[in-house]
PDB file of all heavy atoms in Angstrom:
ATOM      1  N   VAL J  56      -4.823   9.092  17.165  1.00  0.00           N
ATOM      2  CA  VAL J  56      -4.359   9.244  15.785  1.00  0.00           C
ATOM      3  C   VAL J  56      -3.566   8.018  15.343  1.00  0.00           C
ATOM      4  O   VAL J  56      -3.796   7.476  14.240  1.00  0.00           O
ATOM      5  CB  VAL J  56      -3.490  10.526  15.633  1.00  0.00           C
ATOM      6  CG1 VAL J  56      -2.832  10.577  14.246  1.00  0.00           C
ATOM      7  CG2 VAL J  56      -4.361  11.788  15.880  1.00  0.00           C
ATOM      8  N   ASN J  57      -2.658   7.568  16.176  1.00  0.00           N
ATOM      9  CA  ASN J  57      -1.876   6.379  15.867  1.00  0.00           C
ATOM     10  C   ASN J  57      -2.712   5.164  15.641  1.00  0.00           C
ATOM     11  O   ASN J  57      -2.460   4.363  14.735  1.00  0.00           O
ATOM     12  CB  ASN J  57      -0.842   6.117  16.923  1.00  0.00           C
ATOM     13  CG  ASN J  57       0.232   7.155  16.966  1.00  0.00           C
ATOM     14  OD1 ASN J  57       0.448   7.930  16.009  1.00  0.00           O
ATOM     15  ND2 ASN J  57       0.974   7.243  18.092  1.00  0.00           N
ATOM     16  N   THR J  58      -3.752   5.009  16.449  1.00  0.00           N
ATOM     17  CA  THR J  58      -4.680   3.837  16.297  1.00  0.00           C
ATOM     18  C   THR J  58      -5.444   4.005  14.976  1.00  0.00           C
ATOM     19  O   THR J  58      -5.605   2.934  14.284  1.00  0.00           O
ATOM     20  CB  THR J  58      -5.644   3.782  17.492  1.00  0.00           C
ATOM     21  OG1 THR J  58      -4.891   3.593  18.673  1.00  0.00           O
ATOM     22  CG2 THR J  58      -6.626   2.645  17.371  1.00  0.00           C
ATOM     23  N   CYS J  59      -5.889   5.159  14.682  1.00  0.00           N
ATOM     24  CA  CYS J  59      -6.597   5.398  13.432  1.00  0.00           C
ATOM     25  C   CYS J  59      -5.763   5.073  12.234  1.00  0.00           C
ATOM     26  O   CYS J  59      -6.278   4.434  11.237  1.00  0.00           O
ATOM     27  CB  CYS J  59      -7.071   6.860  13.366  1.00  0.00           C
ATOM     28  SG  CYS J  59      -7.857   7.334  11.850  1.00  0.00           S
ATOM     29  N   LEU J  60      -4.522   5.335  12.262  1.00  0.00           N
ATOM     30  CA  LEU J  60      -3.582   5.121  11.182  1.00  0.00           C
ATOM     31  C   LEU J  60      -2.677   3.888  11.374  1.00  0.00           C
ATOM     32  O   LEU J  60      -1.610   3.823  10.797  1.00  0.00           O
ATOM     33  CB  LEU J  60      -2.738   6.340  10.921  1.00  0.00           C
ATOM     34  CG  LEU J  60      -3.467   7.643  10.595  1.00  0.00           C
ATOM     35  CD1 LEU J  60      -2.491   8.820  10.530  1.00  0.00           C
ATOM     36  CD2 LEU J  60      -4.240   7.443   9.289  1.00  0.00           C
ATOM     37  N   ALA J  61      -3.145   2.950  12.136  1.00  0.00           N
ATOM     38  CA  ALA J  61      -2.298   1.751  12.504  1.00  0.00           C
ATOM     39  C   ALA J  61      -1.751   1.044  11.242  1.00  0.00           C
ATOM     40  O   ALA J  61      -0.564   0.710  11.212  1.00  0.00           O
ATOM     41  CB  ALA J  61      -3.074   0.777  13.397  1.00  0.00           C
ATOM     42  N   GLU J  62      -2.575   0.767  10.279  1.00  0.00           N
ATOM     43  CA  GLU J  62      -2.121   0.118   9.096  1.00  0.00           C
ATOM     44  C   GLU J  62      -1.128   0.983   8.312  1.00  0.00           C
ATOM     45  O   GLU J  62      -0.121   0.459   7.771  1.00  0.00           O
ATOM     46  CB  GLU J  62      -3.318  -0.290   8.210  1.00  0.00           C
ATOM     47  CG  GLU J  62      -4.051  -1.486   8.711  1.00  0.00           C
ATOM     48  CD  GLU J  62      -3.198  -2.798   8.826  1.00  0.00           C
ATOM     49  OE1 GLU J  62      -2.523  -3.084   7.833  1.00  0.00           O
ATOM     50  OE2 GLU J  62      -3.189  -3.370   9.890  1.00  0.00           O
ATOM     51  N   GLU J  63      -1.446   2.236   8.200  1.00  0.00           N
ATOM     52  CA  GLU J  63      -0.587   3.148   7.437  1.00  0.00           C
ATOM     53  C   GLU J  63       0.781   3.317   8.140  1.00  0.00           C
ATOM     54  O   GLU J  63       1.795   3.532   7.427  1.00  0.00           O
ATOM     55  CB  GLU J  63      -1.243   4.511   7.309  1.00  0.00           C
ATOM     56  CG  GLU J  63      -2.477   4.484   6.442  1.00  0.00           C
ATOM     57  CD  GLU J  63      -3.730   3.914   7.028  1.00  0.00           C
ATOM     58  OE1 GLU J  63      -3.780   3.615   8.237  1.00  0.00           O
ATOM     59  OE2 GLU J  63      -4.752   3.794   6.304  1.00  0.00           O
ATOM     60  N   MET J  64       0.769   3.243   9.458  1.00  0.00           N
ATOM     61  CA  MET J  64       2.023   3.489  10.208  1.00  0.00           C
ATOM     62  C   MET J  64       3.091   2.373   9.885  1.00  0.00           C
ATOM     63  O   MET J  64       4.224   2.624  10.047  1.00  0.00           O
ATOM     64  CB  MET J  64       1.716   3.500  11.690  1.00  0.00           C
ATOM     65  CG  MET J  64       1.058   4.702  12.172  1.00  0.00           C
ATOM     66  SD  MET J  64       2.066   6.152  11.941  1.00  0.00           S
ATOM     67  CE  MET J  64       1.179   7.320  12.958  1.00  0.00           C
ATOM     68  N   LYS J  65       2.596   1.248   9.394  1.00  0.00           N
ATOM     69  CA  LYS J  65       3.554   0.227   9.024  1.00  0.00           C
ATOM     70  C   LYS J  65       4.438   0.609   7.859  1.00  0.00           C
ATOM     71  O   LYS J  65       5.515   0.092   7.653  1.00  0.00           O
ATOM     72  CB  LYS J  65       2.793  -1.065   8.669  1.00  0.00           C
ATOM     73  CG  LYS J  65       2.023  -1.700   9.835  1.00  0.00           C
ATOM     74  CD  LYS J  65       1.216  -2.862   9.387  1.00  0.00           C
ATOM     75  CE  LYS J  65       0.376  -3.439  10.560  1.00  0.00           C
ATOM     76  NZ  LYS J  65      -0.498  -4.539  10.105  1.00  0.00           N
ATOM     77  N   GLU J  66       3.923   1.596   7.072  1.00  0.00           N
ATOM     78  CA  GLU J  66       4.640   2.066   5.908  1.00  0.00           C
ATOM     79  C   GLU J  66       5.345   3.403   6.053  1.00  0.00           C
ATOM     80  O   GLU J  66       6.089   3.889   5.229  1.00  0.00           O
ATOM     81  CB  GLU J  66       3.628   2.193   4.701  1.00  0.00           C
ATOM     82  CG  GLU J  66       2.925   0.906   4.411  1.00  0.00           C
ATOM     83  CD  GLU J  66       3.803  -0.208   3.876  1.00  0.00           C
ATOM     84  OE1 GLU J  66       4.750   0.075   3.251  1.00  0.00           O
ATOM     85  OE2 GLU J  66       3.534  -1.332   4.270  1.00  0.00           O
ATOM     86  N   ILE J  67       5.018   4.045   7.251  1.00  0.00           N
ATOM     87  CA  ILE J  67       5.554   5.390   7.506  1.00  0.00           C
ATOM     88  C   ILE J  67       6.786   5.299   8.426  1.00  0.00           C
ATOM     89  O   ILE J  67       6.727   4.639   9.473  1.00  0.00           O
ATOM     90  CB  ILE J  67       4.466   6.290   8.121  1.00  0.00           C
ATOM     91  CG1 ILE J  67       3.304   6.425   7.148  1.00  0.00           C
ATOM     92  CG2 ILE J  67       5.032   7.631   8.521  1.00  0.00           C
ATOM     93  CD1 ILE J  67       2.072   7.154   7.746  1.00  0.00           C
ATOM     94  N   HIS J  68       7.810   5.991   8.024  1.00  0.00           N
ATOM     95  CA  HIS J  68       9.030   5.991   8.832  1.00  0.00           C
ATOM     96  C   HIS J  68       9.051   7.107   9.888  1.00  0.00           C
ATOM     97  O   HIS J  68       9.439   6.853  11.042  1.00  0.00           O
ATOM     98  CB  HIS J  68      10.254   6.160   7.911  1.00  0.00           C
ATOM     99  CG  HIS J  68      11.538   6.233   8.684  1.00  0.00           C
ATOM    100  ND1 HIS J  68      12.147   5.165   9.283  1.00  0.00           N
ATOM    101  CD2 HIS J  68      12.350   7.263   8.941  1.00  0.00           C
ATOM    102  CE1 HIS J  68      13.236   5.546   9.907  1.00  0.00           C
ATOM    103  NE2 HIS J  68      13.392   6.809   9.707  1.00  0.00           N
ATOM    104  N   ALA J  69       8.601   8.276   9.506  1.00  0.00           N
ATOM    105  CA  ALA J  69       8.594   9.411  10.452  1.00  0.00           C
ATOM    106  C   ALA J  69       7.209  10.080  10.386  1.00  0.00           C
ATOM    107  O   ALA J  69       6.612  10.287   9.310  1.00  0.00           O
ATOM    108  CB  ALA J  69       9.667  10.413  10.057  1.00  0.00           C
ATOM    109  N   PHE J  70       6.701  10.360  11.559  1.00  0.00           N
ATOM    110  CA  PHE J  70       5.359  10.873  11.676  1.00  0.00           C
ATOM    111  C   PHE J  70       5.297  11.910  12.813  1.00  0.00           C
ATOM    112  O   PHE J  70       5.493  11.615  13.946  1.00  0.00           O
ATOM    113  CB  PHE J  70       4.337   9.762  11.956  1.00  0.00           C
ATOM    114  CG  PHE J  70       2.892  10.186  11.834  1.00  0.00           C
ATOM    115  CD1 PHE J  70       2.269  10.344  10.599  1.00  0.00           C
ATOM    116  CD2 PHE J  70       2.146  10.389  12.973  1.00  0.00           C
ATOM    117  CE1 PHE J  70       0.966  10.723  10.525  1.00  0.00           C
ATOM    118  CE2 PHE J  70       0.822  10.763  12.891  1.00  0.00           C
ATOM    119  CZ  PHE J  70       0.216  10.931  11.661  1.00  0.00           C
ATOM    120  N   GLU J  71       5.035  13.180  12.399  1.00  0.00           N
ATOM    121  CA  GLU J  71       4.978  14.261  13.405  1.00  0.00           C
ATOM    122  C   GLU J  71       3.528  14.695  13.468  1.00  0.00           C
ATOM    123  O   GLU J  71       2.894  14.928  12.412  1.00  0.00           O
ATOM    124  CB  GLU J  71       5.849  15.425  12.960  1.00  0.00           C
ATOM    125  CG  GLU J  71       5.890  16.585  13.908  1.00  0.00           C
ATOM    126  CD  GLU J  71       6.751  17.722  13.343  1.00  0.00           C
ATOM    127  OE1 GLU J  71       7.608  17.466  12.504  1.00  0.00           O
ATOM    128  OE2 GLU J  71       6.563  18.862  13.804  1.00  0.00           O
ATOM    129  N   GLN J  72       2.967  14.862  14.673  1.00  0.00           N
ATOM    130  CA  GLN J  72       1.589  15.279  14.737  1.00  0.00           C
ATOM    131  C   GLN J  72       1.289  16.359  15.812  1.00  0.00           C
ATOM    132  O   GLN J  72       2.007  16.416  16.807  1.00  0.00           O
ATOM    133  CB  GLN J  72       0.676  14.058  15.024  1.00  0.00           C
ATOM    134  CG  GLN J  72       0.949  13.359  16.340  1.00  0.00           C
ATOM    135  CD  GLN J  72       0.034  12.161  16.542  1.00  0.00           C
ATOM    136  OE1 GLN J  72      -1.174  12.394  16.758  1.00  0.00           O
ATOM    137  NE2 GLN J  72       0.572  10.959  16.538  1.00  0.00           N
ATOM    138  N   LYS J  73       0.337  17.159  15.515  1.00  0.00           N
ATOM    139  CA  LYS J  73      -0.187  18.142  16.436  1.00  0.00           C
ATOM    140  C   LYS J  73      -1.672  17.958  16.477  1.00  0.00           C
ATOM    141  O   LYS J  73      -2.319  17.872  15.433  1.00  0.00           O
ATOM    142  CB  LYS J  73       0.140  19.581  15.931  1.00  0.00           C
ATOM    143  CG  LYS J  73      -0.278  20.635  16.881  1.00  0.00           C
ATOM    144  CD  LYS J  73       0.262  22.001  16.451  1.00  0.00           C
ATOM    145  CE  LYS J  73      -0.084  23.053  17.463  1.00  0.00           C
ATOM    146  NZ  LYS J  73       0.480  24.396  17.124  1.00  0.00           N
ATOM    147  N   THR J  74      -2.247  17.877  17.718  1.00  0.00           N
ATOM    148  CA  THR J  74      -3.618  17.568  17.869  1.00  0.00           C
ATOM    149  C   THR J  74      -4.245  18.697  18.657  1.00  0.00           C
ATOM    150  O   THR J  74      -3.783  19.031  19.774  1.00  0.00           O
ATOM    151  CB  THR J  74      -3.850  16.214  18.567  1.00  0.00           C
ATOM    152  OG1 THR J  74      -3.114  16.167  19.773  1.00  0.00           O
ATOM    153  CG2 THR J  74      -3.392  15.073  17.676  1.00  0.00           C
TER     154      THR J  74
END
Side-chain angles (χ1 to χ4, degrees):
V56 171
N57 291 343
T58 298
C59 175
L60 298 175
E62 283 301 310
E63 292 78 6
M64 288 296 194
K65 295 175 183 175
E66 305 295 323
I67 298 173
H68 176 73
F70 189 78
E71 180 181 341
Q72 61 179 292
K73 182 173 185 176
T74 54

